[in-house]
Amino acid sequence: MSYNLLKGKRGIIFGALDENSIAWKTAEKVHEQGGKFVLTNAPVAMRMGAIKELAEKTGAEIIPADATNIEDLENLIEKATEILGGKLDFVLHSIGMSVNVRKGKRYTDQNYDWTAKGWDVSAVSFHKTMQTLYKKDAMNEWGSIVALTYMAAQRVFPDYNDMADNKAYLESIARSFGYFFGTEKKVRVNTISQSPTPTTAGQGVKGFDGFIKYADEMSALGNATADECADYTLTLFSDLTKKVTLQNLFHDGGFSNMGVSQKVMSRFIEE
Ligand code: NAI
């Protein structure tokens, strides 16, 4: 349902690969709420992805950018403000990738070139994006920047591998840059810590099927879906959350505060 929550707002959405992507659902919902945006993804992902279909549906233009490349980011931000007709009100960073995870390297046997690559893509790209926005003074006052994260930044999930470290770094960048963006430009910066979600990135994690079922049975409200994550993101882009910043916000059906649920416990009790 449209409340026109984002009417008149302009932004950039990173990371829509296919219709399962959290960024894809977010783009659809931002469009529904009256927001205008440019879609972006890494050039290589774009060749595989179905992003054109999303662009047509939402009246958005696509500007390819590797989020680890400053020149690409500068070009993206210049073109986006030109196309959209002014400074930006919202940015979604929905990017994650670990080469160690992809290639099945265990946490205790990292290839450090791959570790560095995954760190750059999954965490430093958020700093690079914000630094480029900041230097170009491309955000409007009371704008909102959101990145997606996972609870392995705080708790141990062995198969999440080096992505756990990348997410911890990402969340720290949100706080550190959020301070400068807040005090100097009145822009808020937050991360949303989402439940396991069946997307390309999510399903790359070893044992994902068990992982997602376990989280679902442990959570008071069950796992949050990609659609629900998109809804939550809309609230952070809207003017209803103007003083929420420097936060890591759990969107996980209560999982992060659970010790054990009766459903999970029942599996360990002998009849
Ligand atoms: P996805 O695979 O649909 O999206 C990941 C995106 O990152 C893809 O569009 C990919 O092309 C993009 N990407 C990779 N390298 C890039 C680069 N160099 N430059 C620009 N873009 C690049 O998967 P999903 O799940 O929608 O991922 C979105 C975010 O949500 C990620 O940060 C992920 O870690 C996070 N997240 C996902 C969860 C899950 O279980 N799926 C749980 C919690 C957080």
Side-chain angles (χ1 to χ4, degrees), residues 128-147:
K128 289 176 174 171
T129 300
M130 285 199 280
Q131 185 166 296
T132 311
L133 289 163
Y134 176 91
K135 285 191 176 169
K136 290 197 171 296
D137 196 20
M139 293 297 295
N140 272 324
E141 279 196 1
W142 302 112
S144 173
I145 301 173
V146 171

Side-chain angles (χ1 to χ4, degrees), residues 14-18 20-23 40-42 45 65-68 93-97 102 117 121-122 148-151 160 163 167 170 192-203 208:
F14 287 79
L17 180 68
D18 57 34
N20 297 318
S21 299
I22 299 170
T40 185
N41 209 327
D66 174 346
T68 63
H93 177 286
S94 186
I95 298 172
M97 192 276 302
R102 272 202 191 166
K117 176 74 184 159
V121 169
S122 308
L148 294 174
T149 187
Y150 181 57
M151 213 186 56
Y160 206 65
M163 276 305 286
K167 291 303 192 191
L170 177 89
I192 295 178
S193 187
Q194 163 68 6
S195 295
T197 314
T199 61
T200 305
Q203 278 161 332
F208 183 79

Side-chain angles (χ1 to χ4, degrees), residues 37 45 62 103 134 223 250 257:
F37 50 84
I62 306 168
K103 307 230 177 190
Y134 176 91
N223 285 336
F250 288 103
N257 267 345

